[in-house]
């Protein structure tokens, strides 16, 4: 299938100089996952003397082009901030226009499944879909399920999303797990919260890029980007170029070692924190069981291993149940779309 101007991925080859530059960059460490705050669509529309809606449409076209550049550079996961919950505060005309644009793009996605399958693109939508119109919820569910089995590259679209809403939702999911008896309150941890986020199926972004000159995260992936390279560029999103992307990747490469060191230290800290939490739980159990009598080191170690194994099994069962609950939501919405 030949892609059209509406396609999610452009069928476009790089020029010789772009390929050469890409190959030079790929000699160094490359980000595997890049996140974009695609800012500047409205300012672009004002600058180009076109309707605001046209600016948003041009922004989508730039996303399709940028995905192709990412694939050419070997970047196989991209997350984009498409629509913040805060955007609902904009004028009704603009919000309605953005909802209509989203409808058009997800309808197009369903129409070009052959192209997406060829590239192995898996589309995920992260956010609170209940805030969206019912017909758009159903379209999104169909699109997500249609590409679910693809695994060559991943596009995560944050829609009706803010990071604080996502973190609050993750806390609610853990509370649900405790209420259902799937996990214990003592199983709640930083690592488990990460597993309950919308983005739990993805590694954290290596690189986050924001366009338009704004130097803030605007409630986007706050939890996930603690150890990411943050790059702020002045170019407006619809004017983004391959060279802007290369510049951002180069900045990532320059900070790669310090980022890796910080990530490794954080992972070690998490492991030690979990071990201390497990030891504390085991000490409490042994105290209750032995009426305060001393326990030898070998027995204590055996109890620790048993407790850790049982905790990991509880967490595994809980995460499976949580995934099933989320999958059911998408399946039900997709079924409603078929019935409609």
């Amino acid at each position: 299938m030949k892609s059209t101007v509406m396609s999610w991925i452009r069928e476009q080859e790089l020029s010789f100089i772009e390929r050469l530059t890409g190959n030079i960059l790929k000699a160094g460490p490359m980000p595997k996952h890049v996140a974009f705050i695609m800012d500047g669509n409205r300012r672009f529309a004002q600058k180009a003397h076109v309707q605001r809606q046209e600016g948003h449409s041009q922004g989508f076209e730039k996303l399709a082009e940028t995905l192709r550049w990412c694939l050419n550079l070997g970047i196989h996961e991209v997350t984009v901030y498409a629509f913040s919950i805060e955007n609902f505060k904009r004028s009704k005309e603009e919000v309605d226009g953005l909802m209509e644009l989203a409808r058009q793009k997800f309808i197009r996605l369903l129409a070009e499944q052959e192209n997406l399958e060829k590239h192995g693109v898996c589309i995920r939508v992260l956010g609170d879909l209940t805030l969206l119109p019912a017909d758009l919820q159903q379209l999104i569910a169909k699109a997500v399920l249609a590409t679910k089995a693809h695994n060559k590259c991943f596009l995560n679209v944050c829609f009706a999303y803010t990071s604080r809403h996502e973190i609050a939702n993750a806390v609610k999911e853990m509370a649900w797990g405790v209420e259902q008896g799937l996990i214990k309150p003592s199983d709640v941890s930083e690592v488990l919260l990460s597993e309950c986020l919308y983005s739990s199926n993805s590694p954290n972004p290596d690189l986050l890029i924001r366009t338009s000159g704004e130097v803030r995260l605007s409630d986007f992936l706050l939890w996930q980007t603690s150890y990411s390279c943050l790059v702020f560029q002045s170019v407006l999103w619809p004017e983004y170029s391959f060279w802007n992307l290369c510049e951002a990747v180069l900045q990532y490469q320059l900070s790669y070692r310090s980022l890796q060191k910080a990530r490794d230290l954080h992972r070690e800290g998490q492991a030690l924190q979990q071990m201390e939490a497990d030891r504390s739980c085991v000490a409490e159990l042994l105290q209750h069981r032995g009426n305060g009598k001393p326990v030898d080191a070998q027995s204590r170690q055996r109890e620790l291993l048993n407790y850790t194994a049982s905790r990991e099994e509880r967490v595994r069962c809980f995460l499976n149940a949580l995934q099933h609950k989320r999958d059911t939501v998408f399946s039900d919405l997709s079924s409603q779309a078929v019935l409609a």
Side-chain angles (χ1 to χ4, degrees), residues 37-48 55 58-59 62 66 69 209-214 232-241 244:
I37 300 178
M38 307 178 293
D39 198 13
N41 292 342
R42 295 195 293 176
R43 271 172 280 175
F44 170 80
Q46 189 176 21
K47 176 182 171 183
Q58 289 291 323
K62 184 55 63 176
T66 304
W69 297 333
I209 299 168
R210 178 167 188 157
T211 57
S212 88
E214 295 289 340
F232 300 95
Q233 298 176 301
S234 59
V235 61
L236 301 177
W237 174 250
E239 297 175 328
Y240 203 71
S241 72
N244 294 131

